[in-house]
Structures are given as structure tokens and as C-alpha cells.
Amino acid sequence: MIILGIETSCDETAAAIVKDGPSARASTELSRTSSGLRILSNAVASSVELHQKTGGIIPEIAAREQSKYMIPVIKEVLEETKIKNQEIEAIAVTHGPGLIGSLLVGVETAKALAYAWQKPIIPINHLQAHLYANFICEIPNHKSQIPKFPALGLVVSGGHTDLVLMENHGQIKWLGGTRDDAAGECFDKTARVLGLGYPGGPAISAAAEKFQISNSESQTKLPRPMINEDNFDFSFSGLKTSVINLVKKQKEVDVPMLAFEIQEAITDVLVMKTIRAAKKYRVKSTLLAGGVAANSRLREKMQSAINKTQSKLYTPPPRLCTDNAAYIACCAYFNYQPVSWQRVKVEPSLRIC
Ligand code: KG4
Ligand code: ZN
């Protein structure tokens, strides 16, 4: 099966083509999980340079840029794979959550293509789809790469932080999430306070690495909100406020040290809650997903903590953690539920489940 994926929920404009193994059209659950799904092409156009100027995303600017890039990225994946539109078997598109103007660009394009090409269309939940970056086979027919159920999923992105239990494809239970800011938002906002620019996650991570290399000892200890509470919820706004207050108080800010401490505080909480859930639900697999899952310190700490449990950790390659359309198409492959194009609507406030 060949699926075209389209993603425009935030500031990226993305298209991808994925294909399963030799058995051309997989129709049963068994063949879906055993054949392996590969990326044939994955194109992402980003307007990050524009948002860097304003220190964050201005929704209308994002949507206007996306309307310029949408057709070119679709053209790019078709040309790169030399796949003709007749060979595309389904179109998968993010219909929420996200910025309304941005979502409309992708959804209306996908509907027009589905109508013109007479193809099935599958609306996709962006947050669930992030988890499917873990179900893409980088090595063809390498079955052990595919996570086994029950699986625990930690979705950490710019706008969301959710812990979910995946009993199977389409059987997802919410365990907890953030009560205020998302983990990625905390990276982005504290980075802005430190003058590190946008997006904040990679900038904090780079500054923190400088501090780690210097082998010095951190002189600051930031709070780890809710770390000891017996639930799977998170809170990051207090951490952000602590950083703001600290920066206001200090004459000279040690940016690398503070970046290191911010990264330690965020990752300590994420690891602690995830491990607690992995043990409680005795999951076979633990999946990291979302832009923050690209953070190497988080991956390293999560791996060493998971090694002490029965669960196996899955982390997508960093380029598949941040927004792209390959995992949108992959999610559609494993949750194949086409609807008529008239019924596809944007859902800006969709929850993970
Ligand atoms: O999943 P994503 O690309 O978009 C959303 O759906 O939100 O996530 C973007 C978020 C941003 O907050 C960004 O700062 C964060 O992911 N991020 C990182 C890293 N790379 C991206 N956070 C920490 N470390 C990174 N290496
Ligand atoms: Zn995302």
C-alpha cells in the first residue's frame, strides 16, 4: 500500500509518501504489523526563520507561508519517488489539534486531491500520530523494530505533554498530561528568557552541552514540579516562573549552567513519571514521541532508567520526532479508517484520545 501524508498543524508544511513491504496491499492486522512500513520520501518546508525574527509563531504568518509551500512539497515527494498520482492508494491528513489557519491549508488541499484523484482520505490526530514515528521501519523487513503492545507513549511536543497507554492500534487510554505549560513550551519560553532564540529546545540543549563539557558543578537547583505526586500529570509553568525570577535577581546570568539545570529539571520529571507508568502497567514497549523526544539528554536518561524495567525503549530518529508527514501516513496505515471527503473537518482542540 502507498499512502500520501500531509501535515500542517503548526509551522511546518510537510508531505511524505510511505509504502509497506512486498505484499502490496496489506489488509489484515497481521500483515500490517509484519511487512514493515518504509518512507519513500519525506519533505518538510519550515518557516522557522520567520518565527525566529518574532521569537515565536504568529499563526496568520504561519498559515500564509503554508499556503505557499503546500503544493510544492507534495510535488516534491511525487517527483522524488516518481510515483504517479494513480499509484497513491490513500491520502492521510492531520485534522487536529493545531492552529486553525494552518490546519485548514493541509485539510482543504487533501480534500481537493482526494476528490480530484478519487482516493480515500483518512483524517489523523496529530498527537497520536507522533507515536507512529516509532512504527516506521528504517531497515526493511526488520520486525523487531516494531513496538509490541501494551505500550506506553510519552508525547512531548511544543503544545502538549501526554502519557498514554496503547493496548493496540486504535486502543489508546489517557493516563495523564500537563496541567499548564507543555514540556516543549517550557523549553521555548525559558530559552527566550535566556536570550537563546526560537525554537528553544535545541538551543537549551546546545547551551547545556557546553556546560556539561566544562565539567563544572551546577550552583542552581530548580524545582521538579509534581515529581513525587502519585499521578501521571505534569506542570511546567512554575519551573518557567522560577527561571524568570532567578534571571531577574541575578546581575550576570550563567546561561549554559541555567540551560543545563532547566534541561535536567524537565527531563527528571518526564523520566520519573514515565518509568512509574511503565512499571505500573507492565508495558512491553515505551515510546517517546514529539519534538522534545529529539532531546539527547532525555533519551539518554530514559534509556538508563528503562534498562532497570521489563520494558523496551523506542525512540524515533531525531528528524522523525519533530513535525513531518511520514508519521501521519504511518498512523493512517495502522489505523486505516477512510471517510468521505465531505466529512473531513479541522479540529483545532482535538485531544490525544
Ligand atoms: O512536535 P513538534 O515538532 O511540534 C509540535 O507538535 O509542537 O515539537 C516542537 C517542540 C518545540 O517546543 C521545540 O523546542 C522542541 O519540540 N524541541 C526540542 C528539541 N527539538 C525540538 N526540545 C528539546 N530538545 C530538543 N533537541
Ligand atoms: Zn507535533
Side-chain angles (χ1 to χ4, degrees):
M1 169 163 260
I2 297 175
I3 302 179
L4 169 69
I6 293 175
E7 153 65 39
T8 60
S9 64
C10 193
D11 59 335
E12 275 35 33
T13 314
I17 296 179
V18 301
K19 185 179 191 292
D20 64 1
S23 53
R25 186 187 288 269
S27 56
T28 67
E29 207 54 59
L30 190 68
S31 55
R32 275 175 197 276
T33 48
S34 60
S35 51
L37 193 71
R38 289 174 300 128
I39 299 175
L40 299 187
S41 179
N42 193 13
V44 182
S46 169
S47 52
V48 70
E49 279 171 25
L50 284 175
H51 307 310
Q52 273 164 350
K53 287 186 197 146
T54 45
I57 297 168
I58 296 178
E60 181 167 337
I61 292 184
R64 280 171 188 258
E65 288 303 300
Q66 283 161 320
S67 66
K68 283 189 222 158
Y69 298 145
M70 188 74 268
I71 301 291
V73 293
I74 294 172
K75 210 163 154 256
E76 185 180 329
V77 294
L78 289 171
E79 283 173 4
E80 194 194 337
T81 55
K82 299 196 170 54
I83 285 178
K84 299 196 175 54
N85 52 9
Q86 298 91 311
E87 294 170 87
I88 303 276
E89 291 170 85
I91 297 169
V93 62
T94 300
H95 74 133
L99 304 169
I100 186 161
S102 296
L103 288 167
L104 277 167
V105 174
V107 164
E108 293 308 314
T109 305
K111 282 161 74 172
L113 291 179
Y115 174 73
W117 294 349
Q118 294 289 293
K119 303 290 176 190
I121 181 167
I122 303 145
I124 294 295
N125 178 318
H126 177 86
L127 298 173
Q128 286 187 15
H130 261 300
L131 292 163
Y132 280 86
N134 291 291
F135 288 83
I136 296 168
C137 279
E138 294 274 276
I139 311 162
N141 297 322
H142 203 286
K143 275 195 273 178
S144 68
Q145 291 181 100
I146 294 180
K148 292 191 175 61
F149 296 117
L152 178 74
L154 174 69
V155 181
V156 268
S157 70
H160 297 85
T161 303
D162 288 299
L163 257 176
V164 294
L165 182 66
M166 281 179 95
E167 270 144 4
N168 209 325
H169 299 295
Q171 289 174 32
I172 301 185
K173 225 166 79 184
W174 188 76
L175 301 179
T178 186
R179 295 189 181 172
D180 40 60
D181 292 358
E185 197 176 347
C186 189
F187 272 115
D188 293 337
K189 288 181 175 167
T190 54
R192 182 155 26 165
V193 174
L194 297 184
L196 287 174
Y198 177 85
I204 295 252
S205 174
E209 210 173 303
K210 272 192 212 152
F211 179 77
Q212 266 181 298
I213 291 168
S214 74
N215 250 336
S216 345
E217 208 151 293
S218 175
Q219 305 298 320
T220 318
K221 185 87 180 160
L222 290 168
R224 268 74 172 152
M226 299 182 76
I227 197 163
N228 293 319
E229 283 186 27
D230 190 18
N231 55 35
F232 300 117
D233 285 345
F234 303 89
S235 163
F236 291 107
S237 78
L239 178 58
K240 172 190 69 189
T241 311
S242 302
V243 174
I244 293 171
N245 291 341
L246 214 85
V247 169
K248 270 191 198 151
K249 261 201 313 216
Q250 288 175 352
K251 272 205 192 100
E252 237 174 274
V253 181
D254 184 339
V255 173
M257 183 184 81
L258 203 46
F260 173 78
E261 187 54 27
I262 291 165
Q263 182 171 261
E264 289 307 297
I266 296 173
T267 53
D268 275 352
V269 183
L270 293 175
V271 170
M272 179 74 105
K273 295 260 165 152
T274 305
I275 296 298
R276 209 178 284 150
K279 285 184 183 160
K280 178 168 176 183
Y281 293 97
R282 298 166 192 266
V283 290
K284 290 193 177 132
S285 322
T286 299
L287 321 181
L288 294 193
V292 179
N295 185 274
S296 48
R297 186 77 176 133
L298 173 65
R299 293 158 82 105
E300 174 190 308
K301 281 160 80 168
M302 195 70 84
Q303 185 65 66
S304 69
I306 279 284
N307 289 345
K308 297 180 195 118
T309 73
Q310 299 298 312
S311 187
K312 183 171 176 210
L313 182 67
Y314 290 83
T315 51
R319 73 191 155 80
L320 294 183
C321 289
T322 47
D323 287 349
N324 66 86
Y327 63 70
I328 301 300
C330 182
C331 181
Y333 177 76
F334 286 103
N335 300 273
Y336 194 79
Q337 283 164 0
V339 299
S340 66
W341 65 265
Q342 292 94 331
R343 288 186 50 213
V344 184
K345 292 194 174 60
V346 294
E347 306 261 9
S349 334
L350 196 64
R351 290 173 59 91
I352 191 162
C353 57

